Every structure is written in C-alpha cells, then in structure tokens.
Amino acid sequence: ERWGGGGYPTGIREAEVPERSLQAGTQLRAGASVRTRAKSAALLRLPDASRVRLSPDSEVTLARTEAKDVHLHVTRGRLTVQASHVARQGFTVEAAGIRASVVGTVFSVERRARRVVVAVLEGKVRVEAEGQPPRFVSAGERLEVMSGQRAPKARALSSQDRPAFRAGPAVLIQISTIG
C-alpha cells in the first residue's frame, strides 16, 4: 500500500508530516490528501459550504480549497459532491485527465484502473477530456470514459451509481483556507 501500514480507517497526508488519523472536526489545508480504507468514509465540508463525501477505499488530494475556487484530484475510488449554490470562479474534480466542472449540482466522480465515471444526480456537470470537445452530463446520467476511448456517450445512471448519493456514517472534516 502506498501510504504504509498506519492502520487508520481515514487518514491524512500533508507535506513533510507523517500520515495521521483524521478525527471529526479536523481542519485541513490545500495540498493535503485524504484517504479512506475499505470500510470507512469521510465527509468534507469545504469553505464554500459544499460537501464532498469520500467513499470507502478512496483517495483525494485537495489541490485548491478556496471559497471561490475548488480543485480536487481523485487518485482512486469515488467522491460525491453536493455543490453549494454560490458564485465561484470554479469547482473542478479531476481524475486521470478527465475534468468535471460544477454547473450547480450533486455528482460523483469515480476513478478505477483504466476508467473514470462521472454520474449526476442533480443539475449538470461539464466534462472535459484531453483531445475531445467538452460535453455536459445532466441529472440522471452517467458518462464512463475508458482510457484511450473517443467520444463516450452519456447513459442513464446505473444501480452501481446510486449508493454514492446515499448518506451513511462518515468522519466530518472541516477544510480551511489557511496557507
């Protein structure tokens, strides 16, 4: 395992600091990585009041977490975003070169070995992939992009997508804009 055997159900890694366990109410800065193990989840509350749920066995890096500009990078697994309805410069989730930008919505981004799935429960998401024109994925749709695939088509949400939108137990973590 990349992060060593710390044994934490939900962990954090920050520059030059050993991995540590996340506790409810922990404050994180931009640049931190959060990961969950197989039977844990984390709920991140961002400075713009958006909420991001990290599913079990997932990892995300908080590249930028400002009130008006959010950029998250999914290294593995799935995260689900409930974006707040505030004016902002951008809110982007990236996974394996695929960028999903908030238009005002509830959506998930899942990264597995050779594919990325963007699923939208409410609203609309703009999805960009290198070498392809941007496309919009609307409520009730999913877009699955396989490595090297051209022009993927949006399809209806699958039964595998729906659990990402259900609340369950998670560690609540406050993201700060310090630093």
Side-chain angles (χ1 to χ4, degrees):
E1 183 171 335
R2 262 181 15 173
W3 285 32
Y8 302 126
T10 303
I12 175 177
R13 180 178 54 180
E14 295 181 289
E16 300 179 24
V17 176
E19 177 187 1
R20 66 184 195 271
S21 177
L22 279 176
Q23 304 297 321
T26 299
Q27 292 206 342
L28 302 177
R29 300 175 190 204
S33 292
V34 177
R35 63 126 180 167
T36 55
R37 291 199 182 251
K39 295 184 179 181
S40 64
L43 180 62
L44 311 177
R45 186 172 33 209
L46 302 178
D48 71 346
S50 294
R51 291 180 181 257
V52 175
R53 180 180 181 77
L54 203 58
S55 294
D57 197 25
S58 297
E59 182 179 334
V60 65
T61 299
L62 312 170
R64 194 169 32 255
T65 56
E66 300 167 6
K68 293 192 178 270
D69 194 16
V70 175
H71 188 103
L72 307 174
H73 185 261
V74 180
T75 307
R76 73 167 189 227
R78 180 190 302 229
L79 63 78
T80 302
V81 175
Q82 184 175 5
S84 62
H85 297 283
V86 299
R88 63 172 68 89
Q89 290 174 312
F91 191 124
T92 303
V93 177
E94 187 173 342
I98 306 300
R99 288 171 303 287
S101 301
V102 169
V103 179
T105 190
V106 175
F107 70 102
S108 72
V109 175
E110 178 181 15
R111 179 179 178 178
R112 292 295 176 211
R114 296 184 50 218
R115 70 182 170 105
V116 173
V117 178
V118 177
V120 180
L121 184 67
E122 296 175 10
K124 193 182 327 185
V125 172
R126 177 185 165 114
V127 177
E128 300 173 64
E130 195 169 317
Q132 298 181 30
R135 55 174 305 139
F136 289 93
V137 182
S138 298
E141 293 181 331
R142 72 190 311 265
L143 184 70
E144 184 170 347
V145 182
M146 302 293 284
S147 183
Q149 178 185 16
R150 302 303 255 173
K153 294 188 172 151
R155 305 203 187 293
L157 286 178
S158 73
S159 59
Q160 294 173 334
D161 298 315
R162 298 206 181 274
F165 301 113
R166 291 189 195 109
V171 176
L172 178 62
I173 298 143
Q174 180 72 39
I175 307 301
S176 68
T177 57
I178 303 168

